[in-house]
Amino acid sequence: MASNPGSDAALGTQNPLLSGSPRTKKFPLTEQEVFYMNCRAAYLTIFKSSLENIISKDQLYLALQHAGRNPSQKTINKYWTPQTAKLNFDDFCIILSKEKPTSKAELLKSFKKLDVNDDGAILHSDLQKYLTKRGEKMTQEEVNAVINLADI
């Protein structure tokens, strides 16, 4: 089976940026190259290939989250209209270029809201309540996994 220049197989064998060639040691990656690599990494956390299409709002939401975005329903609806049947990898990269990553300040502000005692900590019971009752609701098993990963 022949591969075209844009396929995943072609990228692995022909792209000097990904093969560890001397070019990466002599010249740092450009901002555009880093952006593309981040797009691809996020996409490949959801799909087996960058040739697969996003076929639902849920997949778009998940892919954006893996790319460091925190999309609202309004944001998702902006890119996934009633006429949208699918989005490809290039569409995803365009969306990422328009949507800014969640900043550290935004994350800290969100966690500050959960810190009801204003002591820099969130109680397990409060975290469990928020994760299972608000936003993208998590299962008890998912919450337990998050809590078990935390540095207590």
Side-chain angles (χ1 to χ4, degrees):
M1 176 165 101
S3 64
N4 64 36
S7 74
D8 291 341
L11 283 175
T13 58
Q14 295 176 358
N15 189 336
L17 297 175
L18 302 178
S19 66
S21 73
R23 186 233 187 265
T24 58
K25 293 178 183 153
K26 290 182 182 176
F27 307 104
L29 296 175
T30 67
E31 189 175 323
Q32 187 64 26
E33 289 168 330
V34 170
F35 174 76
Y36 177 79
M37 289 173 62
N38 288 333
C39 288
R40 188 165 158 73
Y43 205 82
L44 292 177
T45 62
I46 309 300
F47 303 104
K48 292 180 182 173
S49 164
S50 59
L51 300 176
E52 289 185 51
N53 291 316
I54 297 171
I55 59 170
S56 70
K57 284 183 177 183
D58 289 338
Q59 286 181 340
L60 175 59
Y61 183 80
L62 193 57
L64 288 171
Q65 282 187 320
H66 281 271
R69 290 1 180 229
N70 188 20
S72 65
Q73 193 60 48
K74 182 180 176 182
T75 300
I76 296 296
N77 290 338
K78 179 168 61 170
Y79 299 111
W80 194 277
T81 66
Q83 294 76 33
T84 306
K86 63 184 177 180
L87 296 170
N88 63 29
F89 176 71
D90 291 334
D91 297 328
F92 178 69
C93 290
I94 291 168
I95 292 169
L96 283 186
S97 70
K98 294 177 181 179
E99 297 300 320
K100 300 294 180 223
T102 304
S103 70
K104 183 177 179 179
E106 289 172 309
L107 290 173
L108 290 173
K109 182 179 173 184
S110 295
F111 278 103
K112 185 91 170 135
K113 289 180 184 178
L114 302 178
D115 181 9
V116 292
N117 298 328
D118 199 27
D119 61 359
I122 303 168
L123 297 173
H124 285 176
S125 57
D126 290 341
L127 181 61
Q128 178 181 0
K129 181 176 71 176
Y130 290 117
L131 294 176
T132 58
K133 305 279 189 234
R134 297 187 177 180
E136 187 177 333
K137 296 171 183 70
M138 297 175 77
T139 66
Q140 186 59 49
E141 294 78 28
E142 292 170 324
V143 172
N144 290 341
V146 168
I147 290 173
N148 289 336
L149 287 173
D151 183 15
I152 299 175

